[in-house]
Amino acid sequence: MSALTDNILDHLKALVAVDTQNPPRAVTADGPLVQTVRDRLPGFDIKVHDYGGGSIVIEAIRGDAPVLFNVHLDTVPVAEGWQSDPHTLKVTNGRVYGLGACDIKGAAACLFALASRTTAPMHLVLSTDEESGQSACIRRYLEVPPPVRQAIIAEPTSVRAVTEHRGILSAKMAFTGTSGHSSGEKAKSAVHDAARWITAVLDHPEAAKNRLNVGRIEGGVKPNMIAASAELLFGFRALPGTDHLALLEAFDSAASDIVDAERMIRFVGPALPDDVDGPAGFAQAQATQWLDEVGLEKGEAVNFWTEAALFAAAGVPAIVLGPGDIAQAHTANEWVTIEQLELAYSAYERIVNHG
C-alpha cells in the first residue's frame, strides 16, 4: 500500500476505535471522540457545540475555506453477525472492515489525511446524531447558516456527486386494547390491531413506491394474554415533490377502521431539493453549476435521505459525496474498499484545491 493509503487507514483505525453507537449516543464534549479529533487535526481551530443529549458538533477550521465538509461520526448499533471486533479495523483483500468504516468514518479519515498533507484552508463540521433520525446537531448548527459557498455532505455514494434524493418521515403508532385471557371472545387485542394496520398500510398503492417500512414492533406480555398495548415505528422515503403529510394521511385512511390507535410524527426530513422553485431549489441549481466548475461529474439521485437537505433548505448549496456503497451501511461486517477511500481522497483534494 502507498503512504497515502497508510495515512488514511491510520486515521480510520483511530476513528473506528472510538465507540459512537447511536443509540445510546453517549458522546460527550470532553470524551474520547473530541480528543481524537483534536489529536488528528493539529493546527485547526476546534470549537465544540454541545446541544445536549449526546448531540455534539465538532467544528474544525483552518483558514478561510469557501467549502464546508460535513461528516457524521455516530454509527448505528452493532448488528448481529459480526465476525470480528467491530471497533478494531481489519484490512483483508482490499476491503476495510469496521463499524462506521463505510457509514461514514471513512470519509472523515480521508479528510484528516488530506488535512495532514496540505496547508490549504479547510472547514470540517463533524456531528454525532445523524443516526438518531432527528438531526438535532445540524438543525441547531444551521440556525445561523455558515458563510460558505458550498457544503459537501459525506455519505456512501460510491464517490458520485449527488444533488438530489428522497425525503423521509418517521412516526410511531400506539395501539390500545383490553387485557384478558386469550380464551375469551370479547377482549380487544392491541397486537392484533397493529398487525391489521401493518397489513392495510403495506397494501396501499403508494407504499412500495415511497419505500414504506415498519422497522420495529413490540407489545403484549405472553401467548395466553390478550395484549393491552402495542407500539410500532415506521417510516417512508418520499420522492421529491411529495407532500409528506398528505401521503401520511393517505396511509392513515387505509386503516381507518382501527380506532384505538394514536399516531405521533417523530421526524420529517425534506427531499433534496424539497421545492425546485424555492430556496432549496435555487441552492441546488448553484450546486450543480459548482460541480461543473470543479470538474466533478453529477451522479444520479439516491433513494436514501441525508442532511444535505437541511443545508439546502437553509440556503447553502449541498452535494452528497463519499466513499462506499450504501448497501454496506448498517450491516454486520461493514466494509469499504481501499479503492473507494483513495477515490474519495482524490475528489476531496480536488475540491479543497479548487477553493
Side-chain angles (χ1 to χ4, degrees):
M1 288 186 291
S2 67
L4 169 60
T5 301
D6 287 340
N7 193 356
I8 295 171
L9 295 182
D10 178 66
H11 289 297
L12 186 52
K13 177 181 178 181
L15 289 168
V16 166
V18 182
D19 186 349
T20 55
Q21 293 177 80
N22 182 4
R25 207 183 332 150
V27 178
T28 60
D30 58 355
L33 179 64
V34 174
Q35 188 57 51
T36 297
V37 173
R38 292 187 186 278
D39 292 343
R40 297 278 157 170
L41 294 174
F44 278 71
D45 178 21
I46 295 180
K47 301 176 182 177
V48 179
H49 309 275
D50 189 347
Y51 300 123
S55 293
I56 292 172
V57 165
I58 309 167
E59 189 171 25
I61 300 175
R62 182 176 66 191
D64 186 15
V67 178
L68 175 155
F69 291 90
N70 167 234
V71 188
H72 73 84
L73 295 180
D74 58 325
T75 73
V76 294
V78 176
E80 293 184 12
W82 272 87
Q83 297 172 321
S84 60
D85 180 355
H87 295 292
T88 300
L89 204 70
K90 183 176 79 171
V91 182
T92 305
N93 297 324
R95 292 181 178 181
V96 184
Y97 294 83
L99 185 60
C102 176
D103 188 13
I104 181 80
K105 290 181 177 182
C110 293
L111 290 165
F112 288 10
L114 179 58
S116 71
R117 299 168 72 89
T118 178
T119 58
M122 293 181 68
H123 187 169
L124 310 183
V125 173
L126 312 171
S127 61
T128 64
D129 72 351
E130 193 271 350
E131 298 292 2
S132 69
Q134 296 181 334
S135 298
C137 281
I138 298 305
R139 287 182 184 274
R140 291 289 302 276
Y141 177 78
L142 289 172
E143 287 176 356
V144 180
V148 296
R149 181 182 178 188
Q150 181 67 50
I152 307 297
I153 286 68
E155 291 288 359
T157 66
S158 300
V159 200
R160 291 191 292 266
V162 172
T163 61
E164 298 176 87
H165 62 60
R166 292 172 179 257
I168 189 172
L169 182 146
S170 65
K172 177 172 70 175
M173 291 292 297
F175 299 87
T176 302
T178 304
S179 296
H181 195 283
S182 60
S183 64
E185 296 182 358
K186 294 183 178 180
K188 186 175 184 295
S189 170
V191 167
H192 292 185
D193 275 354
R196 282 192 287 268
W197 185 92
I198 292 172
T199 300
V201 173
L202 287 179
D203 284 342
H204 192 283
E206 294 292 324
K209 183 195 307 183
N210 290 282
R211 305 297 194 270
L212 178 72
N213 179 64
V214 179
R216 179 180 176 86
I217 182 170
E218 59 183 340
V221 179
K222 54 190 297 190
N224 63 353
M225 292 179 64
I226 294 172
S229 64
E231 183 178 284
L232 60 84
L233 301 179
F234 75 99
F236 57 82
R237 298 174 184 271
L239 293 165
T242 302
D243 185 328
H244 287 72
L245 297 183
L247 182 57
L248 183 61
E249 290 175 2
F251 290 144
D252 283 344
S253 67
S256 59
D257 60 324
I258 302 173
V259 295
D260 292 322
E262 181 181 4
R263 172 176 51 73
M264 292 143 281
I265 297 175
R266 301 173 69 237
F267 178 76
V268 178
L272 180 69
D274 61 337
D275 182 356
V276 174
D277 297 322
F282 178 73
Q284 291 314 96
Q286 291 181 302
T288 299
Q289 178 182 344
W290 182 85
L291 279 177
D292 291 338
E293 295 176 11
V294 179
L296 291 174
E297 185 177 352
K298 180 179 175 181
E300 296 294 322
V302 294
N303 288 324
F304 54 89
W305 185 82
T306 81
E307 291 176 331
L310 302 181
F311 280 89
V316 180
I319 292 166
V320 190
L321 176 66
D325 190 321
I326 195 66
Q328 303 307 323
H330 302 186
T331 64
N333 305 310
E334 178 183 349
W335 55 268
V336 63
T337 66
I338 290 175
E339 180 185 21
Q340 281 284 300
L341 293 173
E342 292 171 342
L343 287 172
Y345 178 93
S346 296
Y348 295 159
E349 182 180 40
R350 173 177 288 195
I351 290 168
V352 168
N353 288 340
H354 177 271

